[in-house]
Structures are given as structure tokens and as C-alpha cells.
Amino acid sequence: MNPPRRTWNRRLATTNDGSPTLEVVEWGVAYHSIHGALTESMHVFIARGLERWWSENAGNATCLRVLEVGFGTGLNAALAWQWAERRGVTLEYVGLEPYPLDPGEAAAWVASGLPEDLERRMHALHEQSAGPNGYSTDGFSAHILRKMVQDWNGSGTFDVCFFDAFAPTQQPELWEAPIFESLLQRMNPGAVLATYCAKGQVRRNMEGSGWKVERHPGPPGKREMLVARNVPVSHWNVRCYALILNPARTHILVARERFPDGSVGCKFPGGGVEPGEALVDTLWRECAEELGSTEGLAWLGHAYTNDFFVRSAFREDEQILAVYHWMQADDEGVAWWDEKPSTVAASEPLLEMNWEALTELTPNAMRFPIDRYVVSNLKVWLATIQSGPSAG
């Protein structure tokens, strides 16, 4: 079922590179960047979308399918058509646009400053691709569907996704995790999704849905944009971490470490489960390795196991399952600064081990997303064991 037709007041405007856009008067937003409509589309969707996919598949691909969420004016589709001709590949394009331009708006926009070749392609897209048979010519075909992405049940899978919905402030429902989950299911392995948006919550929604997300320099007027890839997970990485409280339960032990990629950040003591090892055995082994001793430590019980998708920061085909346990130290001597105790193996990449006040520790202090989630819940979870934790 098609969505009800929405009436917007749309007016023509010229962007900084001379190419046209349309402004939605009610929202105070434009269909393209005011810094350059053509420049933005080329930077975000052609260079970071199609070219990124091509750089990894040029040797074994002669055709591809592109899905666009937000056909809008059709500029991205026309540019993709041009790109396919230059590369000599067959391109099948599907655009979703629940609120298309009316014929008068489309004609006025097309005639407002586009290069002649793009103008010709735009006329074809607007006049024919929305019909039941779409538009087709040598090496290129297009279907524009008056559908919302959450209501679309199209067939087939895609290689590239142009995610060009209005910004999260105008259409927040299109930037939620379920949307990105459904899109991922429609993508081939290695598929690329490009969007102009770089908001932190959008990136987290993508990552939590299974996408491998990268920040890239944005087009003029934007510092960053996002490129996401469908990188299938083929391995599990199970890890155990200790939430070690001081005797007064006012502070928690945090390790500062140098990671395999050379970065330095904070994490909770712990590490990977070895083959044949029980989770609690991993916990005690990792504590011995990172603290130098487990003397004075007591195990209080399970605290949390992550229930959302997290990809390894160091191996993109791995999924992380992290298990956290409450522990308590009978004194604060297990913390150390500047130099490792002699009992800590030289191979350990630890830099220091500090007590951090529970009232002051913030999620952003931690390197990894599951640790950040744990920190955001520490005080609430701690209240459940204050009256006498059980190791049972």
C-alpha cells in the first residue's frame, strides 16, 4: 500500500556550486547541501558509495544493484547512471520515495541549472521510471517505488545503498536500528552503504545492527560522513572481565592499556577465553596476569553479558561476547601506577591499573562499546548487591 500523499511547500534554490536544490519550507531544510548539491552527491554517494564498492569488486563484477532510500530529486540516480557508463558495468537501480515530486516540481528542478547530460537523464528518470515497467536502456534500468523503506517487501539483494533520507531531526524513525537491520538483510556480502549523516547515535545504531561502520571526511560544510559495509561475521570472541570493587565499594578498578592497533585506552581487567576453559577460570587467570596476584580478591557473581551485537575492534569478521563478573578486593593495594609490578608478565600491554570513583567514571572514558554500556549502568547494578552479594 502506498503512503498517503503529503503536501509540502517546496521551492527552488541554488546551492554554492551552482546546482539546484529544493527547500521544504515547513521544515526549513533542503533536499541537498546548500554548499553544493552536485558536489555533495558526487562526494557521498558516487565517491564513497559506488567507487568504494568498485575498489573492492572491480576484478570480478560486471553488474551491480543499487538501492536508494530517499530518491528525492533523482540526482543520485542520474549520477549513478553516468558512473555505470564510465565504468562499463550494468547497473540496476531501485529508489524508494514515498513523497515524490509532482511533474511540475520535477520539471522546474531539472531545468534549473543542471548540465545538459544530467538534465536528459533526469527527464527519463522522472517521466518513465515510476511506471509499472520502470525505465530501461543499455546497461541501466531504474524503478522508483512510492514506498517507505519500512513497508517495502522487494525481492533480491543489493551491492550499494544510498541512504539519503531527510536528517534524523526531521525523520528520526528512518535512522533507528530496525531500519539498518532490515537493510543489512537485503545486502550482499561486501555491500556498501553511504550516507551524509555522521551523528554518533546513527553510527551506533548501524554498528548495533551488524554493519561495519567507518567515518570519512564529509562534503563541503560537513566534517564527517559515514560509510558502512556488510562484513559477515564468521568467528566468536568470548571474553571475561572483572568489575573489581574496593572494600568500601566506592571505587572500581580500571586498566589503561595499549591495544593491538597502537591506540591507548581504558578497559576493565580481563581478556579472552581459551579453548576448553570455563568462564570463571578465565576470570581468575586474567586477574592473575593483569594484577600480578589474585590474593585478597573475592568473586561476587555474574554482573552482565552483552545482549547487543558488537564487532571486534581488531578483527572485522569477529563478534564479541563479553561476560562481566563482580569481584571485591579486601584492600586497595591491587592498583598500581606508572610501572608494572614484577609479578605482571612483561608481555602484558598494560600501562597502569587505577581505582576510579564510581561517581566520576563516565562511559566516554572507556575504549570499547560494551564497557561504555557497563559504566552507564554500574551504579544501578551495584545497588542490587549492596545488601550482601552471593557467589552462588
Side-chain angles (χ1 to χ4, degrees):
M1 182 176 68
N2 292 336
R5 186 168 292 278
R6 177 179 293 178
T7 301
W8 279 330
N9 292 313
R10 291 181 277 218
R11 64 188 178 196
L12 285 167
T14 302
T15 65
N16 288 354
D17 66 2
S19 58
T21 190
L22 287 169
E23 294 177 338
V24 180
V25 177
E26 293 88 344
W27 285 354
V29 298
Y31 274 63
H32 312 93
S33 169
I34 61 172
H35 298 278
L38 188 56
T39 300
E40 178 192 43
S41 289
M42 288 296 298
H43 180 98
V44 175
F45 301 108
I46 305 306
R48 267 66 180 184
L50 290 175
E51 283 294 330
R52 174 58 187 273
W53 179 86
W54 180 256
S55 70
E56 298 177 355
N57 295 276
N60 55 12
T62 58
C63 61
L64 75 155
R65 301 188 78 214
V66 174
L67 172 68
E68 179 164 24
V69 178
F71 171 75
T73 63
L75 179 58
N76 299 332
L79 291 172
W81 184 359
Q82 282 186 330
W83 177 89
E85 285 188 359
R86 290 196 304 271
R87 288 296 188 186
V89 298
T90 299
L91 190 151
E92 180 184 342
Y93 173 93
V94 175
L96 305 180
E97 180 51 68
Y99 307 110
L101 306 183
D102 64 42
E105 289 175 319
W109 184 81
V110 169
S112 295
L114 291 177
E116 183 178 343
D117 182 66
L118 275 179
E119 186 175 343
R120 173 181 63 83
R121 296 172 197 268
M122 295 298 306
H123 279 300
L125 286 167
H126 280 283
E127 292 170 7
Q128 300 180 51
S129 59
N133 298 318
Y135 174 80
S136 182
T137 187
D138 289 345
F140 178 81
S141 64
H143 285 78
I144 313 304
L145 307 176
R146 191 167 172 251
K147 295 284 186 181
M148 302 178 72
V149 62
Q150 54 267 61
D151 299 327
W152 176 56
N153 295 311
S155 60
T157 54
F158 294 83
D159 303 293
V160 176
C161 178
F162 298 163
F163 200 88
D164 201 16
F166 281 114
T169 50
Q170 277 75 43
Q171 293 184 309
E173 71 280 4
L174 296 184
W175 301 86
E176 298 294 333
I179 297 294
F180 295 114
E181 289 172 5
S182 68
L183 288 174
L184 185 66
Q185 294 170 6
R186 298 178 180 276
M187 297 295 137
N188 292 318
V192 174
L193 180 152
T195 182
Y196 64 88
C197 186
K199 286 186 175 293
Q201 188 57 56
V202 170
R203 175 178 54 79
R204 290 187 288 273
N205 288 344
M206 288 181 176
E207 290 175 337
S209 303
W211 291 92
K212 171 68 174 176
V213 185
E214 306 164 356
R215 294 185 182 91
H216 284 247
K222 287 188 66 69
R223 186 169 61 88
E224 291 183 328
M225 58 165 286
L226 297 179
V227 174
R229 296 160 54 230
N230 178 17
V231 181
V233 168
S234 56
H235 298 87
W236 282 93
N237 187 339
V238 183
R239 308 185 70 79
C240 281
Y241 293 100
L243 304 177
I244 303 175
L245 301 168
N246 69 335
R249 294 186 180 176
T250 57
H251 290 65
I252 193 165
L253 206 60
V254 174
R256 186 167 173 265
E257 185 170 313
R258 189 180 306 280
F259 300 108
D261 62 355
S263 64
V264 173
C266 292
K267 60 180 276 292
F268 291 110
V273 177
E274 295 183 352
E277 189 174 46
L279 296 179
V280 174
D281 291 341
T282 299
L283 188 72
W284 285 109
R285 175 180 55 77
E286 287 289 338
C287 285
E289 291 176 1
E290 297 192 2
L291 276 65
S293 171
T294 58
E295 185 177 352
L297 290 182
W299 178 62
L300 305 181
H302 175 260
Y304 173 69
T305 300
N306 66 292
D307 54 0
F308 57 95
F309 175 86
V310 176
R311 190 185 301 272
S312 169
F314 311 113
R315 285 193 57 180
E316 61 182 18
D317 63 345
E318 278 189 350
Q319 180 173 346
I320 299 295
L321 182 68
V323 184
Y324 294 77
H325 296 261
W326 290 114
M327 301 188 80
Q328 185 164 326
D330 62 8
D331 65 62
E332 296 187 356
V334 293
W336 44 269
W337 292 263
D338 301 325
E339 296 183 10
K340 298 177 188 177
S342 58
T343 47
V344 175
S347 59
E348 286 294 320
L350 290 168
L351 300 177
E352 58 185 21
M353 191 77 68
N354 298 329
W355 289 112
E356 301 289 347
L358 288 167
T359 56
E360 298 177 8
L361 185 60
T362 63
N364 288 339
M366 311 303 286
R367 170 70 165 80
F368 300 116
I370 312 177
D371 282 349
R372 291 194 288 268
Y373 179 80
V374 168
V375 170
S376 69
N377 287 278
L378 273 177
K379 284 177 278 190
V380 173
W381 294 347
L382 183 59
T384 68
I385 67 168
Q386 288 283 25
S387 60
S390 168

